[in-house]
């Protein structure tokens, strides 16, 4: 996995000017597709989101 194209949920929210809860809601509702979300168990299961605009 190339981490250059991924951001943590927190960093994604900050970069795109939305709240963390909005990003989590987008993930749960499928606005951010499952193939664009990764949990990294080796880093305390931090959730990463592919760095692109979703809506």
């Amino acid at each position: 996995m190339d981490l250059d194209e991924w951001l943590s949920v927190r960093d994604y929210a900050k970069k795109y000017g939305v709240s963390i809860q909005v990003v989590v809601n987008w993930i749960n509702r499928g606005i951010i597709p499952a193939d664009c979300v990764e949990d990294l168990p080796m880093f305390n299961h931090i959730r990463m989101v592919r760095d692109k605009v979703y809506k």
Side-chain angles (χ1 to χ4, degrees):
M1 177 178 182
D2 180 10
L3 293 179
D4 290 339
E5 60 185 55
W6 295 82
L7 296 169
S8 69
V9 169
R10 176 177 289 167
D11 290 341
Y12 184 91
K14 187 175 183 179
K15 180 175 181 177
Y16 291 101
V18 297
S19 71
I20 292 171
Q21 189 59 52
V22 166
V23 178
V24 171
N25 288 342
W26 287 351
I27 292 168
N28 292 339
R29 292 173 49 207
I31 294 169
I32 299 177
D35 64 337
C36 294
V37 179
E38 290 287 335
D39 284 328
L40 301 179
M42 67 286 259
F43 298 112
N44 291 328
H45 293 278
I46 189 168
R47 187 174 273 180
M48 304 293 284
V49 178
R50 191 176 305 273
D51 184 10
K52 65 181 197 175
V53 177
Y54 302 96
K55 291 222 178 177

